[in-house]
Amino acid sequence: KQEVTQIPAALSVPEGENLVLNCSFTDSAIYNLQWFRQDPGKGLTSLLLIQSSQREQTSGRLNASLDKSSGRSTLYIAASQPGDSATYLCAVKGGSEKLVFGKGTKLTVNP
Amino acid sequence: GAGVSQSPSNKVTEKGKDVELRCDPISGHTALYWYRQSLGQGLEFLIYFQGNSAPDKSGLPSDRFSAERTGGSVSTLTIQRTQQEDSAVYLCASSPGAANSNQPQHFGDGTRLSIL
């Protein structure tokens, strides 16, 4: 059974810092990995999707990497801003259509 | 264009009542998913539709839960004889692709269900 773990559960940083969020998964036979952002009381916003054959994806200040063999992904956020404060969720898609989610990292960026 | 729309946004009901939650996916999206997000449990898959068929219902927690999709569009998740442990945020997502595609899932804002 696939399990996804995100560390740390919460992170507080000053504005302008570069930071890394971690995601690990137990079954390396994944189809893709997706990073989401969730603001309080809202649904999930897709940030980046990395296919199993890819090593990384970039969008603006965000860069996600994937090491499938070791079961790890990282989300790098450059020059963090208070507007980046949210919960970040990692999810993997395996042999079925469903996504298996981690419990998220709650990020607070302080002005 | 419009995103995934869910209604109601909030629902409070008494234990034992039935509830219906609605999801209107992005136009043209053939795949539709229901998930549940509860405190301490994170996000859990409930059911997946491809068109009007549900090839994966493995996440439905009991036979009190059912879902249908009509016309390849709107889906309804029904919970019968609600229990307090059903309190959660129910999220719907859709994606454009067929099975095994690498299309991202797009989520609605969810229905927050509270059982008194």
Side-chain angles (χ1 to χ4, degrees), chain A residues 70-85:
Chain A
S70 68
R72 293 179 184 176
S73 176
T74 61
L75 179 67
Y76 174 83
I77 302 176
S80 58
Q81 303 171 357
D84 295 331
S85 298

Side-chain angles (χ1 to χ4, degrees), chain A residues 31-32 34 36 38 41-44 46 49 51 89 93 95-99 101-103, chain B residues 33 35 37 40-41 43 45 48 56 58 91 99-105 107-109 112:
Chain A
Y31 202 74
N32 62 48
Q34 204 167 346
F36 294 90
Q38 186 173 33
K42 295 291 187 181
L44 279 62
S46 179
L49 181 148
Q51 299 178 30
L89 293 156
K93 180 177 173 181
S96 67
E97 288 302 300
K98 68 182 182 184
L99 293 177
F101 284 84
K103 292 191 176 180
Chain B
Y33 313 79
Y35 294 86
Q37 186 173 32
Q41 295 285 79
L43 260 152
F45 168 81
Y48 154 63
D56 189 349
S58 63
L91 290 163
N100 294 328
S101 75
N102 271 307
Q103 300 287 343
Q105 294 184 18
F107 283 75
D109 284 344
R112 184 174 300 275

Side-chain angles (χ1 to χ4, degrees), chain B residues 25-56:
Chain B
I26 293 172
S27 178
H29 281 195
T30 59
L32 185 146
Y33 313 79
W34 284 98
Y35 294 86
R36 178 169 73 173
Q37 186 173 32
S38 48
L39 283 173
Q41 295 285 79
L43 260 152
E44 302 171 295
F45 168 81
L46 297 177
I47 187 169
Y48 154 63
F49 285 92
Q50 182 61 45
N52 292 337
S53 301
D56 189 349

